[in-house]
C-alpha cells in the first residue's frame, strides 16, 4: 500500500461518507475461550483461503467506489506471514481504489510481533495497529487463554513505536473473575505509560457457546454482577477522562477526536462498507448481507464461481431509524433530535430520561450521559414500541 501501489484519489474534505473495506482473516493459532468471532486453527487452509479471497475481490471490485478505510481483522491477521500480507496488499491495490489519506488498520496479537515484523507491517503501508493486549497481568492473561505474557505485550508496544507507528490502538478487558477495580486501574496506568493514541476497554462478555460460557454454566467461576460492572465502567471513564482521553463511544477512548477509529464509525453511522472473507458483513443502499461462516464453504463457493453470501436483508426505514438511535446513543455524537420528536409519547419519554440524568440535548442532538451509557442498550427501547 505504500508509494503508488494503490490507485489513490486526492484528499477531499468530507470524505467520511466514503465506504470502508473490512477483510476478515479467519485464522488463529489458538482459540481464546471468550471469543465468539469466527476463526479456525487450521493454518494449512491459508493458501486455499488466499486464492478464494482473490476471487472474491475480483467479483466485488465494482460494487463500491473509493474506500478511505481498510481494516484487517479476525481471527488474527498477524498469524499470516509477510508474503501472505503482501499478497493481500497487492490484490486489494490492483482491484480497488483508495483515497490518499486512507486509514489502514491491522489487528495484531502481541505474541506475533517481533521487531522485524513490526517494521515489515509498517513498510506495507499500514498506518494504524490495533494490538490485542487484553490484560497486563499474567494470571488474567492465562484465564483469558491468551498466548502472550504481559512482558511480551509491553515489548510489542515498544516494537511498534520503534517501527514508527504513530497511531496505536490497544484493546483491554475488564470484569475478569478475581480482578479488582484497583488492579484494573493499575493496568490502565501501565498502558498510559506507552501513550497509545486509542484505547478500547471492553467488559468481559460471556457469549453463549464459548468455552468460558460453558465453564460458567458448570459453576467453575462466577461472572461479575451488574453493580460490579457499573463500578468498573465508571472507574474506567473517569480515569481515562482525567488522563486526557475522549470517550467517543461507550468502549472507545481517543487522545484526540481525530484519532478515533474512522473505520468503526462507518458501522455506527450507516456509512456503506464492504466485508470480505468468511462471516464478514457488508452494508450499502439500505441492505445488509453476510458471508458464510465457514472457511471451507467460503472457498468452495468462490471456486465454483459464486459469491459466498449466506444471507441478506433489506432494512426498512423504521429499522434504519431504530439502528441510528441505538448506535448513535452509544457515541458522543448522539443522534438528531428529529429521530424522536413529533410523537407526544416519545417526547414525554425524552423529558423523563432528561430528568433522570440519562439523556441530554445539545444543538439539536440527543446524547446519552455517562450514566446513560450504562443503560445504552435499553435507552432506544424507551422510544420505540
Amino acid at each position: 500500500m505504500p508509494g503508488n501501489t494503490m490507485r489513490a484519489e486526492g484528499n477531499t474534505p468530507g470524505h467520511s461518507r466514503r465506504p470502508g473495506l473490512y477483510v476478515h482473516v479467519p485464522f488463529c493459532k489458538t482459540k481464546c475461550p471468550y471469543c465468539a468471532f469466527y476463526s479456525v486453527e487450521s493454518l494449512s487452509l491459508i493458501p486455499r483461503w488466499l486464492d478464494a479471497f482473490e476471487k472474491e475481490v475480483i467479483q466485488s471490485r465494482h460494487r463500491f467506489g473509493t474506500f478511505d478505510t481498510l481494516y484487517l481483522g479476525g481471527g488474527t491477521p498477524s498469524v499470516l506471514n509477510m508474503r501472505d500480507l503482501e499478497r493481500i496488499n497487492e490484490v486489494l491495490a490492483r482491484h480497488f481504489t483508495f483515497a490518499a489519506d486512507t486509514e489502514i488498520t491491522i489487528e495484531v496479537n502481541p505474541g506475533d510481533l517481533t521487531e522485524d515484523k513490526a517494521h515489515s507491517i509498517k513498510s506495507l503501508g499500514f498506518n494504524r495497529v490495533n494490538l490485542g493486549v487484553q490484560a497486563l497481568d499474567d494470571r488474567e492473561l492465562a484465564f483469558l487463554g491468551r498466548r502472550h505474557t504481559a512482558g511480551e505485550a509491553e515489548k510489542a508496544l515498544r516494537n511498534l513505536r520503534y517501527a514508527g507507528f504513530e497511531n496505536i490502538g490497544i484493546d483491554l478487558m475488564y470484569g475478569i473473575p478475581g480482578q479488582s477495580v484497583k488492579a484494573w486501574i493499575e493496568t490502565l496506568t501501565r498502558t498510559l505509560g506507552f501513550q497509545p493514541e486509542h484505547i478500547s476497554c471492553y467488559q468481559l462478555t460471556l457469549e453463549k457457546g464459548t468455552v468460558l460460557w460453558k465453564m460458567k454454566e458448570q459453576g467453575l467461576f462466577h461472572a461479575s454482577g451488574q453493580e460490579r460492572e457499573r463500578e468498573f465502567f465508571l472507574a474506567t471513564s473517569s480515569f481515562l477522562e482525567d488522563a486526557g482521553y475522549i470517550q467517543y463511544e461507550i468502549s472507545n477512548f481517543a487522545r484526540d477526536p481525530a484519532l478515533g477509529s474512522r473505520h468503526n464509525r462507518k458501522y455506527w453511522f450507516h456509512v456503506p462498507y464492504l466485508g470480505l472473507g468468511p462471516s464478514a458483513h457488508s452494508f450499502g443502499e439500505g441492505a445488509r448481507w453476510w458471508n458464510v461462516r465457514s472457511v471451507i464453504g467460503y472457498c468452495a463457493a468462490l471456486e465454483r464461481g459464486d459469491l459466498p453470501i449466506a444471507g441478506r436483508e433489506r432494512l426498512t426505514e423504521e429499522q434504519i431509524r431504530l439502528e441510528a438511535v441505538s448506535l448513535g446513543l452509544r457515541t458522543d455524537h448522539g443522534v438528531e433530535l428529529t429521530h424522536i420528536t413529533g410523537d407526544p409519547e416519545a417526547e414525554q419519554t425524552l423529558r423523563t430520561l432528561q430528568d433522570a440524568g440519562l439523556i441530554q440535548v445539545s444543538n439539536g442532538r440527543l446524547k446519552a450521559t455517562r450514566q446513560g451509557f450504562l443503560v445504552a442498550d435499553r435507552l432506544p427501547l424507551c422510544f420505540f414500541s
Side-chain angles (χ1 to χ4, degrees):
M1 292 164 215
N4 297 318
T5 57
M6 279 190 174
R7 299 190 304 277
E9 293 184 354
N11 187 355
T12 306
H15 65 270
S16 62
R17 298 301 300 180
R18 284 177 173 166
L21 177 61
Y22 174 77
V23 176
H24 188 77
V25 180
F27 300 100
C28 292
K29 288 182 180 177
T30 57
K31 185 79 173 177
C32 296
Y34 57 85
C35 183
F37 291 112
Y38 176 69
S39 67
V40 298
E41 298 173 57
S42 304
L43 303 187
S44 61
L45 289 171
I46 290 175
R48 185 181 177 191
W49 167 75
L50 281 169
D51 289 342
F53 168 75
E54 183 165 1
K55 290 180 173 65
E56 187 183 20
V57 168
I58 292 170
Q59 289 205 46
S60 305
R61 66 187 183 277
H62 299 308
R63 302 186 73 171
F64 287 79
T66 298
F67 297 101
D68 72 349
T69 66
L70 167 61
Y71 194 107
L72 262 66
T76 312
S78 57
V79 301
L80 301 179
N81 61 42
M82 295 313 303
R83 184 178 62 256
D84 293 338
L85 286 172
E86 189 171 356
R87 179 178 175 185
I88 292 172
N89 169 11
E90 190 274 329
V91 168
L92 294 176
R94 186 173 357 124
H95 297 290
F96 292 137
T97 302
F98 295 85
D101 63 342
T102 297
E103 175 193 83
I104 308 172
T105 306
I106 183 171
E107 289 181 350
V108 171
N109 185 297
D112 297 329
L113 200 71
T114 63
E115 188 173 346
D116 285 345
K117 191 157 191 174
H119 280 90
S120 296
I121 289 173
K122 186 74 165 59
S123 72
L124 285 179
F126 290 96
N127 51 34
R128 186 174 184 272
V129 170
N130 218 46
L131 192 68
V133 172
Q134 312 307 352
L136 287 173
D137 179 287
D138 286 338
R139 289 170 298 181
E140 294 172 1
L141 287 167
F143 177 83
L144 295 173
R146 302 296 290 173
R147 57 184 174 85
H148 65 271
T149 64
E152 288 171 332
E154 293 180 332
K155 184 176 181 181
L157 285 164
R158 289 192 290 271
N159 285 339
L160 289 173
R161 289 300 188 205
Y162 294 154
F165 280 98
E166 298 178 349
N167 196 350
I168 298 173
I170 296 177
D171 284 355
L172 297 172
M173 197 170 288
Y174 61 81
I176 301 167
Q179 182 186 48
S180 67
V181 173
K182 179 181 178 182
W184 167 241
I185 294 300
E186 288 175 357
T187 290
L188 289 177
T189 301
R190 288 173 65 183
T191 299
L192 292 183
F194 294 92
Q195 297 184 306
E197 284 69 30
H198 191 279
I199 304 175
S200 296
C201 300
Y202 300 107
Q203 163 74 36
L204 173 62
T205 302
L206 303 177
E207 301 278 0
K208 192 170 184 178
T210 62
V211 173
L212 284 191
W213 171 273
K214 295 172 184 175
M215 290 173 62
K216 185 206 66 164
E217 292 294 287
Q218 295 166 4
L220 298 179
F221 69 89
H222 297 288
S224 300
Q226 285 189 353
E227 184 55 38
R228 191 66 165 164
E229 292 175 2
R230 179 179 183 277
E231 187 180 357
F232 271 108
F233 178 82
L234 293 176
T236 302
S237 298
S238 297
F239 181 83
L240 290 178
E241 181 183 272
D242 291 344
Y245 284 77
I246 299 163
Q247 187 173 15
Y248 72 99
E249 194 269 346
I250 286 180
S251 302
N252 291 280
F253 301 79
R255 276 207 331 232
D256 183 274
L259 295 172
S261 171
R262 284 166 48 192
H263 185 80
N264 285 346
R265 284 196 182 105
K266 298 186 186 299
Y267 302 143
W268 302 332
F269 298 115
H270 284 134
V271 177
Y273 54 87
L274 173 64
L276 303 174
S279 80
H281 284 59
S282 303
F283 173 78
E285 298 181 344
R288 185 173 287 120
W289 62 97
W290 51 94
N291 284 349
V292 295
R293 191 180 168 92
S294 162
V295 175
I296 298 296
Y298 170 86
C299 293
L302 286 156
E303 286 162 358
R304 62 176 180 263
D306 298 329
L307 280 169
I309 296 175
R312 65 176 74 242
E313 62 177 340
R314 170 69 58 179
L315 302 180
T316 66
E317 288 187 13
E318 186 67 5
Q319 283 176 306
I320 290 176
R321 180 169 165 248
L322 175 57
E323 285 191 8
V325 173
S326 299
L327 295 170
L329 287 179
R330 295 178 59 89
T331 72
D332 66 350
H333 190 64
V335 295
E336 292 182 7
L337 194 55
T338 53
H339 279 296
I340 59 100
T341 52
D343 178 346
E345 187 175 342
E347 291 178 4
Q348 177 56 50
T349 297
L350 174 58
R351 288 190 289 271
T352 300
L353 294 174
Q354 283 182 287
D355 292 342
L358 300 177
I359 288 289
Q360 59 186 1
V361 176
S362 175
N363 298 321
R365 301 196 70 81
L366 184 68
K367 301 180 184 181
T369 63
R370 183 173 293 172
Q371 292 294 327
F373 274 165
L374 285 164
V375 292
D377 289 341
R378 300 200 295 272
L379 285 179
L381 303 179
C382 297
F383 298 107
F384 297 88
S385 59

